[in-house]
Amino acid sequence: KETSKTLLAMTASRAATSSTRHQLPSKVGPSDPAATPIRASSLFRPVRSNQQYLKDISTCHELIKSGESYELCLTNALKAINSETSALNAYDIYKQLRTINPSPYGAYLQFGDTLGIACSSPERFLRVESNGKISSKPIKGTSPRSPDPSIDALLSSSLKNDVKNRAENLMIVDLVRNDLGRVCQIGSVNVEKLFNVESYATVHQMVSTISGKLQNHQSAIDGIAACFPGGSMTGAPKLRTMEFLHDLEQGRKRGVYSGSIGYISPNDVLDLNIVIRTAIVTGKDDESKVVSIGCGGAITALSESDDELDEMMLKAKAIVDATELAIMEKKKNNG
């Protein structure tokens, strides 16, 4: 009932929120590169074309209208494979990310000489503390940053009050509450922060925080089993929506992207991220290496197709930039 009331209230305020959003085009335009998402890159190409992605969004809308899903986290991947990436490794990209897109849940991992991960994730999937408190901080809602403070503040405010972003965030909050409720003490699950805006180097994000207290017989591993994969990367309802996403994404496995990286301690403490804003580097040094960037966004009944495509590319932009900077650095060092 509370969810329905909130959604109704947000729907009633849609006109007021839209008027705020519509102030932005006159203030934020092509002359402001920080607020203009890229649609193409000379280095990267989408696995599914932009035209196909737009068709997939339309399919998501049909599924929502028919009552099959409330929200689908549709994703794609950008790939670069050519002579310029042959000498790259994940650490080269990670160093650039640390400079241009620092994040609280970033990571660098290298597995042998065939798989490297350069992650600059801003999202916490799951944290379990020594006292049994378990928490999650799903992200749903993204806006670009601007170097102009007044425009940047307007972008942040517009994100916080945007009906579509609040609706998609709320749906995932309810999903995470349900997941945590499977392993937490009755009455302990609560929403600590709702629709909070966190600002990072390249984007504003809408973040909510949900927490609870694990039942005495439940472990941190039980918490992972109840909540994985993170609801912000699936949609709702989780299992049924994942079946649709498998078909929409043409059976292509997401791999590391949308999974989790972090630590699990022997004393039943853990901290895990959601693998987003990440470059995956595969292949050996003497072969053509592939750099892959997973990206996507939540599709709801209020989603506008072109806006969703722009948001997807905005999320990938920092990783694309870091890869291109790493290539430039390699060329410079090699004379």
Side-chain angles (χ1 to χ4, degrees):
K1 290 182 179 179
E2 288 303 314
T3 300
S4 298
K5 290 178 181 177
T6 306
L7 285 172
L8 285 171
M10 289 191 296
T11 301
S13 66
R14 185 177 183 185
T17 305
S18 296
S19 66
T20 300
R21 191 189 312 125
H22 291 159
Q23 296 176 38
L24 294 176
S26 62
K27 294 178 176 289
V28 182
S31 60
D32 187 352
T36 306
I38 56 170
R39 280 283 183 114
S41 165
S42 59
L43 182 62
F44 286 89
R45 291 290 179 268
V47 172
R48 301 196 319 280
S49 69
N50 289 346
Q51 292 75 19
Q52 182 61 49
Y53 193 79
L54 292 172
K55 290 180 181 178
D56 294 338
I57 292 173
S58 296
T59 302
C60 289
H61 280 144
E62 291 302 316
L63 290 169
I64 293 168
K65 289 177 182 177
S66 62
E68 296 286 355
S69 180
Y70 307 112
E71 176 177 354
L72 300 95
C73 185
L74 182 67
T75 74
N76 198 4
L78 305 180
K79 278 194 174 184
I81 175 171
N82 55 39
S83 59
E84 291 189 313
T85 62
S86 61
L88 274 184
N89 57 58
Y91 186 60
D92 297 324
I93 300 173
Y94 181 69
K95 287 189 297 182
Q96 298 296 334
L97 285 173
R98 287 290 297 266
T99 300
I100 68 171
N101 194 45
S103 63
Y105 308 111
Y108 161 66
L109 298 172
Q110 185 67 45
F111 298 92
D113 58 357
T114 58
L115 173 63
I117 302 168
C119 175
S120 61
S121 173
E123 183 171 3
R124 168 179 277 153
F125 165 51
L126 211 60
R127 182 186 184 192
V128 177
E129 302 174 48
S130 58
N131 62 0
K133 180 180 179 180
I134 183 170
S135 58
S136 182
K137 293 182 64 178
I139 288 176
K140 272 287 161 268
T142 303
S143 172
R145 299 294 309 268
S146 171
D148 184 316
S150 62
I151 296 176
D152 196 55
L154 184 60
L155 287 164
S156 175
S157 175
S158 179
L159 172 63
K160 186 174 181 64
N161 294 295
D162 183 78
V163 173
K164 181 261 183 186
N165 285 305
R166 289 167 72 95
E168 69 178 61
N169 192 287
L170 183 63
M171 291 179 201
I172 300 306
V173 167
D174 276 350
L175 187 154
V176 174
R177 287 173 59 206
N178 181 71
D179 286 349
L180 291 179
R182 296 164 60 190
V183 291
C184 286
Q185 297 175 17
I186 294 175
S188 70
V189 177
N190 72 97
V191 180
E192 296 182 9
K193 293 181 180 180
L194 185 65
F195 308 145
N196 187 49
V197 173
E198 296 182 359
S199 299
Y200 297 93
T202 58
V203 293
H204 299 292
Q205 302 278 194
M206 184 180 286
V207 186
S208 293
T209 304
I210 309 97
S211 66
K213 184 71 177 291
L214 285 171
Q215 299 174 36
N216 292 334
H217 66 282
Q218 300 284 5
S219 68
I221 301 300
D222 293 321
I224 297 175
C227 298
F228 190 85
S232 63
M233 298 306 297
T234 63
K238 183 183 283 187
L239 296 181
R240 183 60 171 148
T241 300
M242 288 169 63
E243 293 175 354
F244 290 124
L245 291 172
H246 179 268
D247 293 337
L248 285 165
E249 297 177 12
Q250 301 175 354
R252 180 181 178 275
K253 295 180 179 180
R254 294 183 182 179
V256 177
Y257 171 65
S258 80
S260 291
I261 295 172
Y263 69 84
I264 304 174
S265 298
N267 63 340
D268 218 31
V269 170
L270 63 79
D271 202 354
L272 302 172
N273 73 3
I274 294 284
V275 180
I276 55 176
R277 320 295 155 79
T278 297
I280 309 297
V281 183
T282 55
K284 297 182 179 181
D285 286 337
D286 56 350
E287 302 172 350
S288 293
K289 288 190 174 180
V290 179
V291 181
S292 177
I293 303 170
C295 47
I299 310 303
T300 69
L302 299 180
S303 295
E304 297 289 343
S305 297
D306 285 341
D307 290 347
E308 292 297 336
L309 181 58
D310 282 341
E311 182 177 319
M312 180 189 74
M313 298 306 294
L314 172 64
K315 292 171 179 176
K317 187 176 186 302
I319 321 303
V320 171
D321 290 347
T323 304
E324 292 176 344
L325 287 170
I327 289 173
M328 291 171 60
E329 186 71 18
K330 281 281 188 181
K331 289 180 178 179
K332 179 180 176 182
N333 292 339
N334 292 336

